[in-house]
Amino acid sequence: MRLALSVIVFIIVIATIAITVIALKSLMGVTPMIYVDKLRGLLINGSFTAVYNESSTGFSSENGSSHGFVCSETYWYSVGFVNGTRAIITMNNGSCVPTYMTPPSQEMIRWVNGTSFCFAIHVMLNKRSAKTAECLPPGTGKLINLAVPFSELLGNVTINLTAEDYSINYSMITHIHYVNTTKWRGQTTYCFQVTSELNSNTFYGMEPNAALRRVIDEYNVTEFLCLLPNGLPAIIIFNETITTKIPLAHITSHTSEHGVQELVSYELNYFNVTAFNEAVS
């Protein structure tokens, strides 16, 4: 009887250990990806408004000349729906050293009109402003997903799109690995290592200058990115290299930048319709 009881206890202990190991593996290997899925849901179907502060250093070069820079910027994102269509607003302003590298304050709005991808840009520099708006040909609407912030978290993407006076061959390959947890303002965040490689070859037939119609972009991004349980990124430590080629104009530019972006404030289920209407009117 004692032997039988001992065997039963042994089996129970082994089973308990096995269940614990399985649970831990599930927690470490599956559960954290839920927060990536929540972010994807926000980017594709949800709505939010969020403000981020960014500090970065880097260098850029073009056709042999190069210079370094240090920048401090603020980014404001609003993602959601207006009048039944997907829309994204991005605003940024900041300053850099040397001062001639300081980017202009910029507001960019992207939305879908029917099946067309549309964008409006409002730029302010030295108290002067310029505004433009344009829609790409019908059939380009799915490009809206490439315009959302943190689009690299959407996963692998391939787009081969040809429309009147416009074409794009676009590919993005992303690898995401869970690392650990940390705190942001007392809240637990789930941190991931993200590497992303993006290539695009774009033809703008509507560009008046024929030499500028073909643009080739190559991006390589490595991020340590920490997500809140609602999916929003709270901390992003990034290294990014960008190469842009305009073959017919014999222009090649390189930018390498690393820095930190941190969430300042956010509001879920909110899209700034007023800002959208003012920008596209």
Side-chain angles (χ1 to χ4, degrees):
M1 179 66 72
R2 289 182 180 179
L3 179 59
L5 183 60
S6 298
V7 170
I8 293 172
V9 171
F10 177 75
I11 292 173
I12 292 173
V13 169
I14 293 299
T16 302
I17 293 173
I19 292 171
T20 302
V21 170
I22 292 171
L24 287 173
K25 285 184 177 180
S26 175
L27 177 64
M28 297 303 294
V30 178
T31 302
M33 292 303 294
I34 291 175
Y35 306 111
V36 175
D37 291 338
K38 287 185 178 181
L39 175 57
R40 290 171 177 166
L42 285 174
L43 298 179
I44 297 173
N45 298 310
S47 61
F48 67 89
T49 296
V51 179
Y52 290 83
N53 282 340
E54 178 180 301
S55 58
S56 64
T57 62
F59 73 90
S60 63
S61 63
E62 182 175 316
N63 292 2
S65 62
S66 62
H67 50 265
F69 58 87
V70 178
C71 296
S72 178
E73 299 180 81
T74 298
Y75 287 85
W76 182 92
Y77 304 121
S78 195
V79 178
F81 291 90
V82 57
N83 299 326
T85 190
R86 195 65 170 155
I88 300 155
I89 306 174
T90 302
M91 291 190 288
N92 70 287
N93 60 73
S95 61
C96 295
V97 177
T99 55
Y100 65 79
M101 283 289 296
T102 296
S105 297
Q106 178 177 282
E107 181 181 28
M108 180 172 283
I109 300 88
R110 291 96 153 188
W111 72 99
V112 177
N113 183 8
T115 63
S116 294
F117 176 70
C118 302
F119 56 91
I121 305 172
H122 182 207
V123 177
M124 295 189 65
L125 181 63
N126 297 329
K127 298 182 179 181
R128 295 185 178 184
S129 65
K131 187 176 180 180
T132 183
E134 189 172 355
C135 288
L136 297 179
T140 56
K142 61 183 179 180
L143 294 177
I144 189 72
N145 282 353
L146 306 184
V148 297
F150 322 116
S151 61
E152 67 273 17
L153 271 295
L154 292 179
N156 297 340
V157 178
T158 300
I159 295 177
N160 295 300
L161 176 65
T162 300
E164 182 182 356
D165 289 332
Y166 182 84
S167 68
I168 181 172
N169 297 313
Y170 177 99
S171 66
M172 180 170 60
I173 299 173
T174 300
H175 302 279
I176 305 172
H177 303 285
Y178 174 69
V179 179
N180 58 17
T181 63
T182 189
K183 296 287 186 178
W184 176 82
R185 299 187 179 181
Q187 298 184 62
T188 298
T189 64
Y190 299 81
C191 302
F192 301 82
Q193 185 76 23
V194 181
T195 58
S196 185
E197 179 180 330
L198 181 157
N199 295 278
S200 70
N201 188 330
T202 308
F203 174 76
Y204 302 92
M206 67 288 291
E207 167 60 47
N209 187 339
L212 302 180
R213 290 176 183 171
R214 178 70 64 188
V215 179
I216 301 171
D217 290 307
E218 300 172 357
Y219 292 78
N220 287 282
V221 181
T222 300
E223 297 173 323
F224 180 76
L225 184 146
C226 300
L227 305 180
L228 291 167
N230 59 30
L232 278 180
I235 303 168
I236 306 168
I237 302 171
F238 64 90
N239 285 279
E240 178 180 80
T241 60
I242 305 170
T243 300
T244 298
K245 301 175 183 178
I246 307 178
L248 293 179
H250 305 290
I251 295 173
T252 300
S253 65
H254 301 274
T255 300
S256 179
E257 185 175 9
H258 60 273
V260 178
Q261 194 173 72
E262 184 173 358
L263 182 63
V264 176
S265 61
Y266 68 89
E267 185 173 354
L268 294 180
N269 303 314
Y270 173 71
F271 176 73
N272 195 326
V273 176
T274 300
F276 175 85
N277 289 334
E278 290 176 351
V280 302
S281 61

